[in-house]
Amino acid sequence: MSSIIETRDLTREFTVRDRLRRRTVTAVDGLSLRVAAGESVGYIGANGAGKSTTIKMIVGILVPTSGEATTCGLRPVRDRRVLARRVGVVFGQRSQLWWDLPVRESFEILAAIHALRPAEARARAAELAETLELGEFLATPVRQLSLGQRMRAEIAAALLHRPELLILDEPTIGLDVLSKQRLREFLIAERREHGTTLLLTTHDMGDIERLCDRVLVVDRGRLAYDGTLDGLAATVGARRVLVVDLVEPTADLVGLPGTEHLRSKVGGLRQHLVLDGSTTLAAVLAAVAEHAELRDLSIEEPDIEDVVRRIYAASR
Amino acid sequence: MLVRATGVPRLRGDLRLRAYWLLLVAGMRTQSAYPLATFAGLVANATFGLLKTAILFAVVEAAGGGIAGYTAGTMSAYIWLSQGLLGSVNLYGRSDMTERVRTGDVATDFLRPVNVQAANILPAIGKGLFAFVPRGLPSIVIGVLVVGMTMPATPGPYVLGTVSMVLGIVLSHSVVYLVAVSGFWLVETRGFVGLYMAVGGLFAGLFTPFHLFPDWLQVIGRATPFPSMMMFPIDVLTARVTGFAALQVVGVQLAWLAGALAVGHLMTRAGQRKLEVQGG
Amino acid sequence: MVSAYRAVLASRVRAQRSYRTSFALDLVGAFLMGLAELAEVYILYTAVQGIGGFTFAQILLVFGLADLTFSLADIVFGHVDNLPEYVRTGKLDVYFLRPQPVLAQLVTSDISLRRLARAGVGAGALTVGLVLNDIAWGPATVALLALALVSGVATFSALFVTAAGLQFFLVNGAEMTNAFVYGGRYAATQPASVWPRAVTVVFGFVFPMAFTAYLPVTALLGLPGAPWLPSWLGWCAPLAALWSWALALACWRWGIRHYRGAGG
């Protein structure tokens, strides 16, 4: 498959001035990575690990100190304006919409900016409004939208010109569970229909699990892991944990299929079972029910910070 | 937002004084945190100073060497002292409080056990007083070195002039506070701010010394607090007015300051009540 | 792009007018500012018999031309001078993600209608000046005036862009550019004949403020120019505008290169 993002020894240094001393900080350090067209890649790392800097170089905002990036076969800085037509970007914390304007008018302006034909733009906007459920607030000024509504509008804005590459920087930050869910479902459908390549930075493991085939972990500007999520979990032992509350104290639930007993609390009233994913949750629950009556259950997702920490620890 | 003054705990007197002192110092520290900004202000000040010098020296020259009691030397003193005070006296009509009232953040101010008016004016005064060191003094030095200026030879004007200058700085921030809290009743105070800038700049002597104005305009000007913010302190400092007249100037400043603080106090109380009733 | 600009502007206009009272107060504030400055000119030029070879009636032309052209430039370009805010809020990064030149997007992102009031003061002063002065009207004088108006707006617009370019380096010291933007406006209302040489270099040539009003007016009225600034230079206002734009675009490119980290 052809690659849509390719970086070779990508490096970016910043000069930081504290008081009178100048210091050079390397935000991205010899990063080489390749994303194939159609892939869906999660790009994770701690704050300040170099994620945003990488993205800014990939889309042509920042010039690399050394090394090079190729996006959609173009040189991002030199070909910025051509590239802009082929990439959609959402920076979670900054808006590309017009604050005082109804969402619909922001879309009209963006369509003009991307030189879309009016009929084509209308059709696309209608499609996005439908799938992202924007209808109820298309006429509302952006400043009055809730965070979840705004993020959906932002993503629609980034997809209006049918980019082949969609880059999302923290798209689910601050969203409630339902909004997150909706957004993820939309992105899955969008990718299925249009084959859009997705690059996603996030602090939410759920985003990665639902959306990404592949994970890149960056640590102090370097690639610390590149592979599947399962592989990541296997590497650092970060797996989902099923927590069951039982009606009566029960002996440790050892040896149930697809699980590994982690620990028990309150004399066996609450037990933690690691899910290895080899069987369905229903099967696991059925197996638990054979031993004890279930009062309640919950699933602990692995904490992405924790995963990253472990990766860092392993790579140092 | 429901805010009840009675529910706010009162601080002990000495603690309260300490809080106010710290607020003043905090203002000074914020100002010192941006040396580049201060330098930038100085560059702008000096440029305007040179342009003012060019035009006002031409005026003095056209008048045959003296006009309204100014010679080239005292005109230069007026120009560079007023440029020096620009970083300290607020003639722009805008303050942090303007924004706090507009956004409604001010509601949290009422929850603190300090006087809201004092807590907002003091940091601004702190900034203003501090700015005089890196912005005011260099402006004056530039004036002395590049143009030269005539200053009094006795210590009296400097002592009273310093008092008058500080009063002018405090007065300007106290009146700007009034503009800010008018936002409790107005959706936007930008118009008021513009009015303050236009009228204030004119009567404070921002570009043209007050004493060059025709009489009728001086009468109007004296009915406003603006000359007391900058023009009159410069008069005292340059010994244009001395002795009893100088004391009178300080008296007028004190009266304006008392008035501004009193009105500010009433407006703060009324604004707080409005927040309580209408929820901001 | 044109239709996009129209849509953005229409929205900005609507947004500014939607708060009717505050917009009206804005207009009044801006008008008063213009009036206060005009009052200062009046005070100075009536306190003595003419300054730098200009009577009050004559300086009205300079003040009017300078204030009108500055205000018109300010309406369209004024917000550009607020670049650090665009950097801080990330708006500038968003402009990089769109297929237009960043500067074009920045310029077209806003418009300040309240400065119309200020332009009104300038236009009024200019009109009164044109009536009061004894002008030998003919195709040449009309052409000179038109040339001065267009070039003046262009020169001041370039000043705002120059400021924006330099503000990439002065994120905390943006006020420094006020020295030549607002200092420049102030200088433009003065007769250049009162300037010392250093000021003539800076505001006669580097930032060619004398070309926006003073020189065209001396050419219009047949007055003698200033040292280094003969009155025929009034016809060269378009050259000054070109030079200003060359400087502005150089500063902008330099600033953008710095922002993107490509040296500079």
Side-chain angles (χ1 to χ4, degrees), chain B:
Chain B
M1 169 118 234
L2 190 75
V3 183
R4 298 202 61 89
T6 47
V8 176
R10 285 255 161 234
L11 287 183
R12 265 176 31 218
D14 55 334
L15 281 182
R16 207 162 357 151
L17 269 184
R18 192 177 138 68
Y20 292 133
W21 170 248
L22 288 177
L23 284 167
L24 187 73
V25 173
M28 295 189 180
R29 291 180 58 97
T30 11
Q31 185 67 28
S32 69
Y34 298 100
L36 181 62
T38 306
F39 178 70
L42 182 60
V43 171
N45 269 10
T47 310
F48 271 96
L50 287 173
L51 291 168
K52 268 162 88 170
T53 305
I55 193 78
L56 290 175
F57 272 32
V59 171
V60 172
E61 199 182 318
I67 185 168
Y70 285 103
T71 61
T74 51
M75 188 61 95
S76 169
Y78 150 75
I79 292 165
W80 293 99
L81 284 174
S82 63
Q83 287 307 102
L85 277 170
L86 273 186
S88 307
V89 176
N90 186 337
L91 292 180
Y92 308 102
R94 208 169 267 286
S95 67
D96 293 346
M97 184 68 172
T98 322
E99 205 50 25
R100 294 187 69 76
V101 174
R102 200 180 63 79
T103 56
D105 287 352
V106 67
T108 58
D109 292 7
F110 285 113
L111 295 172
R112 297 199 181 128
V114 286
N115 179 296
V116 169
Q117 184 185 15
N120 278 285
I121 296 178
L122 279 171
I125 294 172
K127 273 190 205 173
L129 290 178
F130 182 86
F132 195 72
V133 179
R135 254 182 93 160
L137 292 178
S139 283
I140 296 168
V141 170
I142 291 170
V144 169
L145 294 182
V146 180
V147 190
M149 56 170 88
T150 311
M151 289 294 287
T154 53
Y158 293 99
V159 175
L160 197 59
T162 306
V163 173
S164 180
M165 230 168 53
V166 173
L167 278 175
I169 294 170
V170 176
L171 175 61
S172 72
H173 293 290
S174 307
V175 177
V176 167
Y177 178 82
L178 302 184
V179 176
V181 292
S182 71
F184 282 127
W185 296 273
L186 297 171
V187 184
E188 251 307 341
T189 53
R190 277 214 306 260
F192 255 5
V193 172
L195 188 70
Y196 181 100
M197 264 214 263
V199 178
L202 182 68
F203 289 133
L206 182 55
F207 285 103
T208 311
F210 188 74
H211 308 290
L212 258 57
F213 292 4
D215 290 339
W216 60 270
L217 200 56
Q218 289 201 26
V219 171
I220 298 175
R222 279 176 202 283
T224 72
F226 300 113
S228 291
M229 293 178 188
M230 198 163 83
M231 194 66 232
F232 292 166
I234 291 174
D235 290 347
V236 175
L237 200 60
T238 55
R240 186 186 169 92
V241 291
T242 50
F244 182 67
L247 284 172
Q248 235 174 351
V249 164
V250 174
V252 168
Q253 284 185 297
L254 283 170
W256 277 116
L257 181 60
L261 290 177
V263 173
H265 178 71
L266 294 176
M267 284 175 80
T268 309
R269 284 241 308 253
Q272 183 179 5
R273 247 191 320 269
K274 182 165 179 290
L275 279 190
E276 287 171 11
V277 175
Q278 299 181 3

Side-chain angles (χ1 to χ4, degrees), chain C residues 101-153:
Chain C
V102 173
L103 179 58
Q105 293 184 63
L106 178 63
V107 172
T108 56
S109 68
D110 206 350
I111 187 166
S112 302
L113 287 183
R114 71 197 138 113
R115 289 173 180 134
L116 275 172
R118 191 65 195 267
V121 175
L126 180 62
T127 310
V128 173
L130 288 174
V131 172
L132 286 184
N133 286 284
D134 194 13
I135 297 166
W137 285 106
T141 41
V142 172
L144 182 63
L145 201 60
L147 219 52
L149 277 170
V150 173
S151 311
V153 175

Side-chain angles (χ1 to χ4, degrees), chain A residues 12 56 59-63 77 80-81 84-85 89 91 94-96 98 100-101 105 109-110 112-114 143, chain C residues 1 3-4 7-8 11-12 14-15 88-90 93-102 259-262:
Chain A
R12 175 66 213 211
K56 284 184 176 178
V59 297
I61 296 177
L62 285 179
V63 178
V77 173
R80 177 186 72 77
R81 291 169 59 185
R85 293 182 194 280
V89 185
F91 288 118
R94 27 194 75 170
S95 179
Q96 59 191 315
W98 281 263
D100 305 315
L101 291 192
E105 282 182 47
I109 296 170
L110 280 168
I113 280 175
H114 284 286
R143 64 187 139 84
Chain C
M1 185 65 197
S3 68
V8 173
S11 80
R12 297 303 307 152
R14 234 175 306 136
R88 202 179 52 74
T89 57
D93 283 348
V94 172
Y95 296 157
F96 277 99
L97 304 175
R98 298 184 185 148
Q100 272 85 25
V102 173
Y259 181 74
R260 299 171 106 181

Side-chain angles (χ1 to χ4, degrees), chain B residues 37 40 51 59 188 190 195 208, chain C residues 22 26 32 40 51 172-173 183 190:
Chain B
L51 291 168
V59 171
E188 251 307 341
R190 277 214 306 260
L195 188 70
T208 311
Chain C
S22 101
D26 272 359
L32 280 174
E40 274 158 6
I51 302 169
N172 283 321
Q190 297 183 342

Side-chain angles (χ1 to χ4, degrees), chain A residues 61-189:
Chain A
I61 296 177
L62 285 179
V63 178
T65 308
S66 66
E68 59 182 41
T70 312
T71 311
C72 302
L74 299 165
R75 305 298 302 273
V77 173
R78 193 192 62 196
D79 306 327
R80 177 186 72 77
R81 291 169 59 185
V82 186
L83 183 61
R85 293 182 194 280
R86 299 174 58 179
V87 180
V89 185
V90 175
F91 288 118
Q93 304 298 317
R94 27 194 75 170
S95 179
Q96 59 191 315
L97 303 167
W98 281 263
W99 198 239
D100 305 315
L101 291 192
V103 178
R104 180 186 288 122
E105 282 182 47
S106 278
F107 290 170
E108 282 166 17
I109 296 170
L110 280 168
I113 280 175
H114 284 286
L116 304 181
R117 273 189 298 279
E120 181 196 349
R122 262 195 303 277
R124 177 65 168 159
E127 179 198 345
L128 288 166
E130 161 98 40
T131 47
L132 275 165
E133 296 169 58
L134 312 178
E136 50 182 312
F137 55 84
L138 267 180
T140 312
V142 173
R143 64 187 139 84
Q144 292 172 12
L145 299 186
S146 74
L147 191 59
Q149 291 173 329
R150 211 203 79 200
M151 190 49 71
R152 269 142 64 202
E154 294 280 356
I155 288 177
L159 285 171
L160 203 61
H161 57 292
R162 298 183 192 277
E164 57 211 87
L165 171 63
L166 178 63
I167 297 178
L168 304 177
D169 189 14
E170 301 282 1
T172 57
I173 199 161
L175 296 193
D176 59 72
V177 183
L178 206 66
S179 303
K180 272 185 197 176
Q181 183 77 8
R182 265 190 193 174
L183 204 56
R184 289 172 188 161
E185 276 163 17
F186 165 77
L187 289 171
I188 292 166

